[in-house]
Amino acid sequence: MCTKVIHMILVAITALTGSTGFAVQKAYGAQDAAIDPALAPGFRSSEHLACDLRPTLKKKRLTEGRNAVFLLRNSNTAGNPDISVTFGAAGDLPVAGDWDGDGIDTVGFFRPSAIQFQLTNSSQGVAAADFSFFFGLATDIPVAGDFNGDGIDTVGVFRDGQFFLTNSNSNPIVEITTQFGAAGDVPVIGDWDGRPPVN
């Protein structure tokens, strides 16, 4: 799953020339090797996510979404996508997580223009939304993780140095609020030490 327990870290971004326009310093977790690179959501030209796309693998996996297509790999190596999922539209911000607790991460998106999340349990082809709800503000950055350790990933948002997190994908409400970072920071979420959830 994308993130099992919430332990947050913020990383700085450095502007570069090239197709993505940004690069992020390496991030390390207790159970994970280096993630190279794993850009947080919020980039319009070529967004990047990190998640576990196969239940037998524990390392974070790099995924890339352009417009309405997620191009996913099952290894931290160069090469063609192993999985292609059509879901969303240009301007949507991608998220990934295990939305149903089956041990396999799938994709989703936050649509700022509608302040809406849509999440799918499909991992191939043209996907349909299994969860759709309104949450956050148009200027928020979406995040996803297993914030209560129940084996199901849910969403949240990062807003000006504050996280607003949910524990349900059905009519979610803010259940966890955490002040960490500052306006302009880019959030990442993961289980950095493998411990049970902490408040």
Side-chain angles (χ1 to χ4, degrees):
M1 83 187 40
C2 236
T3 52
K4 190 173 176 76
V5 184
I6 182 168
H7 294 283
M8 299 177 192
I9 179 174
L10 298 168
V11 296
I13 59 174
T14 305
L16 297 175
T17 58
S19 60
T20 61
F22 294 92
V24 173
Q25 65 189 54
K26 291 181 181 179
Y28 297 87
Q31 301 176 18
D32 301 300
I35 302 169
D36 256 331
L39 293 181
F43 307 109
R44 302 289 181 165
S45 59
S46 179
E47 287 90 5
H48 296 67
L49 308 173
C51 60
D52 187 357
L53 302 174
R54 295 188 296 177
T56 58
L57 296 178
K58 298 302 182 184
K59 293 181 180 179
K60 302 289 189 211
R61 302 304 181 197
L62 177 67
T63 73
E64 180 175 335
R66 291 193 181 97
N67 296 331
V69 179
F70 289 81
L71 305 175
L72 313 173
R73 281 189 59 75
N74 287 322
S75 64
N76 292 326
T77 59
N80 295 324
D82 299 303
I83 299 170
S84 177
V85 182
T86 300
F87 189 55
D92 292 343
L93 304 181
V95 293
D98 182 0
W99 314 126
D100 59 3
D102 66 354
I104 300 174
D105 285 353
T106 51
V107 300
F109 62 81
F110 174 64
R111 182 165 293 162
S113 61
I115 317 176
Q116 183 181 37
F117 280 88
Q118 292 194 34
L119 313 174
T120 182
N121 290 321
S122 175
S123 59
Q124 286 288 357
V126 179
D130 292 290
F131 302 95
S132 181
F133 49 85
F134 300 98
F135 185 77
L137 300 176
T139 54
D140 290 341
I141 299 175
V143 296
D146 183 4
F147 305 125
N148 62 0
D150 67 353
I152 296 176
D153 289 332
T154 51
V155 302
V157 296
F158 178 70
R159 180 188 306 156
D160 297 331
Q162 194 165 16
F163 290 84
F164 300 90
L165 309 174
T166 73
N167 285 322
S168 172
N169 291 320
S170 300
N171 300 315
I173 61 172
V174 175
E175 297 187 59
I176 303 170
T177 302
T178 302
Q179 185 77 41
F180 188 57
D185 288 342
V186 178
V188 294
I189 294 182
D191 181 0
W192 311 123
D193 59 9
R195 296 184 304 176
V198 294
N199 293 326

